[in-house]
Amino acid sequence: MKQVLVTGGAGFIGSHLTEALLARGDAVTVVDDQSTGTFDNLAAVRDHPRLKCIEGDIGDPKLAARLAADAEHVYHLAAAVGVALVARQPKETIERNIHPTELLLDALVERCRSGDSVKFFLASTSEVYGKNPKATFHEEDDLIFGSTTRARWSYGASKAIDEFLALACHRQYGLPVVIGRFFNVVGPRQSGAYGMVLPRFVDAALAGRPLTVHDDGRQTRCFAHVRDVIVAVTQLMEAPDAEGRVFNIGSDQPVSIVELAQRVIAATGSAASVEYQSYADAYDADFEDIRRRVPDLTRLQQTIPHRNHYDLDAIIRAVIDAKTKQP
Ligand code: UDP
C-alpha cells in the first residue's frame, strides 16, 4: 500500500485520479482549498477508509512540509485553472502555479537526500508550447510565448517554470520526477465556470440556449477523456524510464470548435443554435488564441503501453450522461 498525496484532489482531474488510486489499493491524502474544486467531486469515495481529505492551501509552507513528509508519491495537480480565470487574475495565477511547487519540491529533495523513496508527478499543460505554429507539438519543441503584456501567456510561462524546477531537482539531487503536459482533458465533473468549452457547450445544448463559438470556430483542439488521461499518469509513475522526463498526454485527434458544437447539438438532440462571439468580447481585447493544438504522442506510447479508449463521440456522450443522470 503506497502513501500518496494528491494536491488539487477535489478538482476535476484530481478527483478522478484519487478514485483510481484508491481503487488500486493506495492510501490517499487529498489537499484542496476548494477554490475551483469541491469535495463534492469525491462524493463516491468520501467514506473510503484509505482516503483522508484536508481542506487547505498547499501554498502554506507548514502544511506543504507536513504533507510532503508522509507521502511516497506526490501528484501535484493544484494550480490555477482555465483561460478565463487566468485572464481575470494573472497575479494569483502566477503565484499559485509556482509557489506550492517550490515548497513541495524543497521538502521532497530533503527527503530524497536523506534516503527516502519518494516520487513527484507534476501536472503541466499544453499551454507551455504557447503559440508554437507546428502542426504537432513534440516535448523537445521550443516554447513560444507572446508578449508579457498579454496575460494569457503567464499561465504557460509559470507552468514552464514549474517544469524547469522539477527537472532541476531531478538533475541536481536525483529526485524522481515525471512531468505530464495535459492537452484539453474533459469528462464528467468538469465545470464550465472557468471557460472550458465542452461542458459549456453541453450545458447550453441541454438548456436549449445558443452554443457560443469564439472567433470563426475553425481553431482546433484534441479532447481526451479524463479516465484515459489518469491511466496514462498512473502508468508513467510506475515506469522507471519516465523519470526525469516530460510527456504529452491526451488525444491526437483534432476537431474544430464549430464541429464540436455541431456534434454536441446532434448528440443531445437539442434545437439550440450556434452563435459566434469575438475573442475581445469573450475574454479581453488583448486575448490571443492558439489556432491549432495537437500533441505528438510518440514518446508516451514508447514509454507505456497506452491507448485511449474514448473517441470524441464517446466523450461527448459521457459528459451528457453525467449531466443528465438522476442524483
Ligand atoms: N471556446 C468557445 N466557446 C466557449 C469556450 C471556449 O468557442 O464557450 C473556444 C476557446 O476560445 C478555444 C477553445 O474553445 O479556442 C478551447 O477553449 P478551452 O478554454 O476549453 O481550452 P484551451 O483554450 O485551454 O484549449
Side-chain angles (χ1 to χ4, degrees):
M1 185 169 80
K2 260 197 196 76
Q3 296 293 330
V4 179
L5 173 66
V6 181
T7 74
F12 155 56
I13 302 177
S15 63
H16 285 275
L17 173 64
T18 299
E19 287 177 351
L21 295 170
L22 289 169
R24 73 170 196 190
D26 292 345
V28 184
T29 299
V30 162
V31 58
D32 201 298
D33 64 1
Q34 299 201 87
S35 53
T36 52
T38 160
F39 283 110
D40 292 346
N41 283 334
L42 291 168
V45 288
R46 201 193 315 261
D47 299 323
H48 198 291
R50 281 183 275 106
L51 175 67
K52 194 160 128 193
C53 289
I54 295 171
E55 183 175 7
D57 176 6
I58 196 63
D60 168 355
K62 284 203 185 94
L63 184 62
R66 177 161 69 80
L67 296 179
D70 295 332
E72 291 161 83
H73 280 191
V74 174
Y75 291 85
H76 180 37
L77 276 68
V81 152
V83 163
L85 190 71
V86 172
R88 282 202 304 275
Q89 300 183 325
K91 180 174 185 289
E92 287 74 12
T93 296
I94 297 163
E95 291 167 355
R96 288 163 62 79
N97 281 352
I98 296 175
H99 182 55
T101 310
E102 267 187 293
L103 293 174
L104 290 169
L105 286 169
D106 279 351
L108 294 178
V109 161
E110 278 309 308
R111 288 188 54 203
C112 183
R113 295 180 80 185
S114 62
D116 284 359
S117 165
V118 288
K119 197 160 182 174
F120 183 76
F121 176 83
L122 174 67
S124 186
T125 164
S126 54
E127 281 280 323
V128 299
Y129 291 103
K131 49 183 172 179
N132 188 319
K134 283 187 64 183
T136 56
F137 296 164
H138 185 273
E139 291 88 344
E140 299 304 319
D141 282 344
D142 292 343
L143 313 185
I144 303 180
F145 296 123
S147 161
T148 52
T149 55
R150 294 174 188 259
R152 180 194 185 128
W153 307 116
S154 67
Y155 184 72
S158 56
K159 293 301 278 190
I161 289 289
D162 282 350
E163 292 194 15
F164 280 126
L165 271 171
L167 292 170
C169 291
H170 176 71
R171 269 186 217 129
Q172 281 181 252
Y173 304 108
L175 179 71
V177 302
V178 177
I179 297 169
R181 290 183 181 160
F182 294 157
F183 280 69
N184 293 82
V185 184
V186 293
R189 298 182 211 143
Q190 185 178 37
S191 163
Y194 310 105
M196 277 64 167
V197 66
L198 183 58
R200 290 167 76 85
F201 280 0
V202 172
D203 285 342
L206 291 174
R209 283 187 275 108
L211 281 65
T212 304
V213 168
H214 299 160
D215 199 52
D216 63 3
R218 285 165 61 197
Q219 66 274 37
T220 59
R221 295 291 188 274
C222 301
F223 295 93
H225 194 294
V226 62
R227 289 217 188 94
D228 282 331
V229 168
I230 293 309
V231 171
V233 168
T234 50
Q235 287 181 350
L236 283 172
M237 279 292 266
E238 301 304 323
D241 286 357
E243 285 181 16
R245 301 177 77 198
V246 179
F247 294 87
N248 291 335
I249 303 178
S251 154
D252 57 2
Q253 303 298 307
V255 63
S256 73
I257 297 302
V258 68
E259 189 188 334
L260 179 73
Q262 285 154 357
R263 282 165 79 163
V264 168
I265 289 171
T268 49
S270 171
S273 59
V274 168
E275 67 175 24
Y276 290 85
Q277 184 181 39
S278 69
Y279 288 128
D281 288 342
Y283 301 108
D284 57 49
D286 289 337
F287 188 79
E288 279 185 283
D289 200 19
I290 290 150
R291 292 300 288 178
R292 179 183 162 89
R293 174 187 278 163
V294 182
D296 180 335
L297 298 177
T298 311
R299 179 180 289 180
L300 182 74
Q301 287 157 353
Q302 284 173 346
T303 309
I304 56 172
H306 183 69
R307 183 175 81 74
N308 289 323
H309 284 91
Y310 293 81
D311 64 13
L312 185 60
D313 286 326
I315 292 172
I316 292 171
R317 191 73 262 153
V319 173
I320 294 169
D321 287 350
K323 286 182 184 287
T324 52
K325 72 172 183 237
Q326 298 303 316

